[in-house]
Every structure is written in structure tokens, then in C-alpha cells.
């Protein structure tokens, strides 16, 4: 795509290379639905490769309220809405074939400067609304009379625009057992060829970051012998405020380097 944009008026928020998709329910959803299908979505996450080379995965959520998140960056290398789960068993839908929905990756050409990838998650009660929006927004909004030259490539695929590192396979969360009152538990499964080769006693470390509004209570990591994935489980203790809490998590290797992409999640009570 090569575009020359001419602005007749000042723009408050400019969305470049916009993507839309649908997310109703996934493995991280808690709202029960009178539906035989375990999951219903066209995409299950937003992936970003930042200008600094970090890979970020944000699982999509159908929250009860509108949610907007911006991932600040400079000269991004790519972003996209991906359908990672390709198992028919996850959807059980012979008509919509959600396991075959394509992923879409945006590859910027040239230097886009400072700005951010913005994710908009709109509440929906059906599978017929495109309630997920992602786009790049420049740090400086254009003024009347400005011109913007833009170039990028769109990659449609049933494969993966994934990081060369380990990737997030699943996200689950819920209240902890009765012996941990007041805590909220998260379980994040990571998979990858390098991770699968490591033995159960490998010296891997979970790196969990909890933003304002909560504190980290405990974090652990263990290898799943059933499928050779690695599971990071942690609990947080919510604070007195009810503001959403930003959470981040990745696995660090024996040499201190990151072995996986960074899992990013916005938790609301």
C-alpha cells in the first residue's frame, strides 16, 4: 500500500493501516453463553514487533466496557491481528470455520517515527460485530494543510507472523482457591521449539510485572509433561483502587536472555 494523505482539516486521532476483527469468546472468557461452541472469534490476539525488536502479545478480551490501549513505539517493525488457535476442537463450528480465519500482519516500509499501536476492544453480545480495531497512530496529529506519505505491506496468512522466540499458547485467569482469599490467579502457557527441548529442571525464570493498582503475590514456572509447554502461574493482590491493572510476563533463560515474547494483559475487576 502506498498512500498520500492530504488533510483538509486538523485531525484529533489518526488511524493508519487500520485492521478490524471479531472476538466474542475465548479460553480467557468467563461469561457463560448458551452456545455449544467453546470459542468464537476471528482473531485471538494483537501481536507487535516494536522498533527495538521486542515481540508483544496481547490476548483479546470482550469486556463489559469499551477498552482502549496504546502501545507506544518508534519506527515499529510490524503489528497485526492474529488467529493463533488453529484447532477445530477449540471452536466446533462447521459453518463459520473459525479455525481457518486468516491472520493479518502489517509491515511498515520506511520509518514511521514516534507514535503507538492502538487497540480498541468494543463490547459485543454476538459474533456478528467487528468489535476489534487496531491501527497505528502518530504521536503528532496532522494539522490542516499537512501531507503524509505512507507505505506498508499487508500479509494475509493461515500461518504465523510469530516471533522467533517462544510464544503464548493460552491465557487463563480466575479467583484463587479458598485458602488464598482476596487474590486473583493467572496462568499463561508458553510454547516453542527451544522451550520444548529444555528439561523440567532447567533454570528458567518467570518475569512478571504488575502495574499500579495491584501487587505481585507469588509467581512460579513449571514444564508441562503432557505437551512440552511451560506454564507461568502467578497471583496478584488487588489494591484499594478499582482501576485496571497492566500485567506483563515473559520467560527468562539460563543466560538471562528472554526466551519468549512478552505477554501483555489489562486486568479489570
Amino acid at each position: 500500500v502506498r498512500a498520500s494523505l492530504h488533510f483538509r482539516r486538523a485531525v484529533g486521532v489518526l488511524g493508519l493501516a487500520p485492521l478490524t476483527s471479531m472476538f466474542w469468546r475465548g479460553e480467557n472468557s468467563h461469561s457463560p453463553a448458551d452456545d455449544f461452541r467453546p470459542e468464537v472469534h476471528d482473531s485471538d490476539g494483537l501481536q507487535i514487533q516494536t522498533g527495538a525488536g521486542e515481540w508483544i502479545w496481547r490476548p483479546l478480551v470482550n469486556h463489559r466496557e469499551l477498552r482502549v490501549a496504546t502501545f507506544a513505539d518508534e519506527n515499529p517493525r510490524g503489528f497485526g491481528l492474529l488467529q493463533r488457535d488453529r484447532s477445530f476442537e477449540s471452536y466446533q463450528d462447521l459453518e463459520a470455520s473459525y479455525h481457518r480465519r486468516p491472520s493479518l500482519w502489517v509491515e511498515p516500509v520506511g520509518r514511521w517515527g514516534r507514535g503507538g499501536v492502538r487497540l480498541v476492544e468494543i463490547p459485543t453480545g454476538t459474533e456478528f460485530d467487528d468489535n476489534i480495531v487496531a491501527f497505528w497512530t502518530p504521536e503528532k496529529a496532522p494539522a490542516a494543510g499537512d501531507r503524509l506519505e505512507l507505505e506498508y505491506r499487508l500479509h494475509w496468512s493461515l500461518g504465523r507472523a510469530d516471533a522467533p522466540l517462544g510464544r503464548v499458547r493460552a491465557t487463563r485467569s480466575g479467583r484463587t482457591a479458598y485458602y488464598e482469599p482476596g487474590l486473583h490467579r493467572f496462568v499463561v502457557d508458553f510454547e516453542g521449539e527451544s522451550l520444548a527441548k529444555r528439561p523440567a529442571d532447567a533454570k528458567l525464570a518467570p518475569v512478571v510485572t504488575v502495574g499500579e493498582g495491584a501487587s505481585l503475590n507469588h509467581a512460579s514456572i513449571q514444564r508441562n509433561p503432557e505437551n512440552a509447554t511451560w506454564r507461568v502461574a502467578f497471583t496478584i493482590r488487588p489494591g484499594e483502587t478499582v482501576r485496571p491493572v497492566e500485567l506483563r510476563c515473559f520467560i527468562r533463560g539460563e543466560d538471562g536472555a528472554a526466551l519468549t515474547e512478552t505477554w501483555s494483559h489489562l486486568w479489570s475487576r
Side-chain angles (χ1 to χ4, degrees):
V1 176
R2 295 184 181 93
S4 179
L5 306 178
H6 301 257
F7 297 91
R8 298 174 180 174
R9 302 184 182 90
V11 176
V13 177
L14 176 63
L16 301 175
L19 315 176
T20 67
S21 192
M22 180 277 293
F23 182 91
W24 185 20
R25 298 200 318 277
E27 77 243 351
N28 58 337
S29 302
H30 297 291
S31 300
D34 189 12
D35 196 311
F36 69 92
R37 300 166 297 177
E39 301 182 36
V40 181
H41 51 76
D42 290 329
S43 304
D44 51 10
L46 167 70
Q47 187 174 52
I48 302 170
Q49 185 184 18
T50 69
E54 181 185 17
W55 289 85
I56 299 173
W57 175 258
R58 169 65 72 99
L60 298 178
V61 175
N62 179 17
H63 198 259
R64 60 182 177 273
E65 298 175 350
L66 174 71
R67 303 210 308 186
V68 180
T70 301
F71 299 83
D73 196 13
E74 184 174 0
N75 299 319
R77 300 184 188 184
F79 65 94
L81 293 173
L82 275 57
Q83 183 78 312
R84 275 187 169 174
D85 191 343
R86 294 295 175 186
S87 171
F88 171 78
E89 301 298 328
S90 297
Y91 308 96
Q92 294 292 332
D93 196 321
L94 291 173
E95 296 181 5
S97 296
Y98 287 115
H99 62 295
R100 296 179 180 171
R101 295 300 169 100
S103 298
L104 179 55
W105 181 255
V106 177
E107 178 193 358
V109 176
R111 299 173 64 85
W112 282 17
R114 298 178 60 87
V117 177
R118 184 164 298 187
L119 173 67
V120 182
E121 296 169 304
I122 306 169
T124 184
T126 76
E127 62 193 285
F128 306 111
D129 300 323
D130 259 20
N131 63 316
I132 303 297
V133 186
F135 53 83
W136 172 261
T137 179
E139 182 179 65
K140 182 181 178 182
D146 285 353
R147 185 182 71 179
L148 176 64
E149 303 291 337
L150 187 72
E151 185 176 351
Y152 56 93
R153 299 184 182 95
L154 295 175
H155 301 268
W156 298 85
S157 175
L158 292 177
R160 305 166 178 168
D162 280 338
L165 304 171
R167 68 175 196 155
V168 176
R169 174 169 176 161
T171 301
R172 298 177 178 86
S173 68
R175 294 182 180 178
T176 61
Y178 67 91
Y179 53 85
E180 292 180 317
L183 302 182
H184 199 87
R185 178 176 295 275
F186 293 87
V187 175
V188 184
D189 292 332
F190 292 89
E191 67 178 2
E193 183 177 349
S194 177
L195 289 174
K197 294 179 180 179
R198 283 173 160 79
D201 59 353
K203 303 300 182 182
L204 306 187
V207 180
V208 180
T209 305
V210 179
E212 293 185 19
S215 59
L216 179 64
N217 178 71
H218 177 265
S220 64
I221 184 172
Q222 65 182 120
R223 189 178 189 275
N224 185 341
E226 303 298 328
N227 54 20
T229 63
W230 284 79
R231 172 167 292 186
V232 174
F234 64 93
T235 55
I236 64 172
R237 186 178 301 278
E240 296 181 356
T241 63
V242 295
R243 70 176 63 178
V245 179
E246 280 284 353
L247 305 173
R248 288 167 61 91
C249 172
F250 68 92
I251 296 178
R252 179 178 291 158
E254 302 88 335
D255 59 355
L259 291 180
T260 68
E261 64 187 2
T262 300
W263 171 83
S264 172
H265 182 71
L266 183 65
W267 178 73
S268 299
R269 299 192 190 189

